[in-house]
Amino acid sequence: YVIHLPTMAASQGRSQGPSLSEIVTQHRKTSQQLRSDLDKERQDLVKTAEELGQSIIDKLDKGVGKTYENQRRLEVEAKTLERKVVDFAKEINQWTTLYSQFNDALKELGDVKNWAQGIEADLNDINLSLTKVVSESQKRSNSTRSTGEEKNKPAKSS
């Protein structure tokens, strides 16, 4: 602010210039007005700084809140995924056990087949042996009968 003191031209109509008390009073009014304007500017500055600070805090809080929400969601998803992995591992163990049992059963079937083939071969050998024995026995029986019949037959006269 500029203090305007009455100039010489304006005061020419008067014989004297402003008195000292008028100058002091004018100075006090001007100083009071300057303090008042300065206080108003200071209050506006403080209000603006508070608004800026609140805006920054709100944005930070929003970011922190969003980050916290994302972290919570990720933790929930991680726990869900962990449960699914555990369940999947149990399922894999069950399938592995079933596969192992099925594989063992197939091996046993293969063993049974080999066992059955061995028994069949043994039975074929026994059958062949019995057939030979019966055949030999019949031959002996026939030869014994024919020899015995010849002995019992009267000799033919010629």
Side-chain angles (χ1 to χ4, degrees):
Y1 284 94
V2 176
I3 302 174
H4 294 285
L5 295 176
T7 62
M8 289 289 267
S11 64
Q12 282 179 358
R14 290 197 217 159
S15 61
Q16 288 183 326
S19 69
L20 183 58
S21 65
E22 288 175 344
I23 294 174
V24 169
T25 304
Q26 181 66 30
H27 173 69
R28 285 184 182 158
K29 282 183 184 178
T30 306
S31 293
Q32 183 63 31
Q33 182 66 38
L34 287 174
R35 273 190 229 111
S36 175
D37 289 346
L38 185 62
D39 282 345
K40 185 177 181 218
E41 291 295 323
R42 186 178 294 130
Q43 288 173 354
D44 287 346
L45 180 64
V46 167
K47 183 179 177 186
T48 303
E50 285 175 353
E51 288 173 354
L52 177 64
Q54 189 61 43
S55 174
I56 291 171
I57 288 172
D58 289 345
K59 288 191 185 244
L60 285 174
D61 283 347
K62 187 176 182 182
V64 168
K66 183 120 176 119
T67 301
Y68 177 73
E69 182 181 324
N70 288 342
Q71 182 181 1
R72 262 191 41 239
R73 196 173 28 148
L74 285 173
E75 286 172 356
V76 167
E77 287 180 20
K79 287 179 183 178
T80 302
L81 183 61
E82 184 180 359
R83 274 195 310 269
K84 286 182 179 181
V85 165
V86 168
D87 291 344
F88 186 65
K90 287 178 183 176
E91 237 179 270
I92 287 174
N93 285 336
Q94 289 173 347
W95 278 105
T96 303
T97 301
L98 284 173
Y99 171 77
S100 179
Q101 290 171 349
F102 180 71
N103 196 30
D104 290 345
L106 284 177
K107 285 179 184 177
E108 287 177 14
L109 285 176
D111 291 344
V112 168
K113 182 180 177 185
N114 288 337
W115 174 80
Q117 287 173 344
I119 293 291
E120 183 180 13
D122 289 346
L123 289 175
N124 284 338
D125 289 343
I126 291 170
N127 186 30
L128 185 60
S129 297
L130 287 176
T131 305
K132 285 182 182 178
V133 167
V134 167
S135 174
E136 289 292 322
S137 176
Q138 284 178 351
K139 283 182 187 177
R140 285 188 190 154
S141 171
N142 285 341
S143 75
T144 319
R145 282 187 199 158
S146 55
T147 326
E149 286 179 7
E150 288 177 9
K151 289 183 182 178
N152 290 338
K153 280 188 178 178
K156 289 186 180 180
S157 35
S158 355

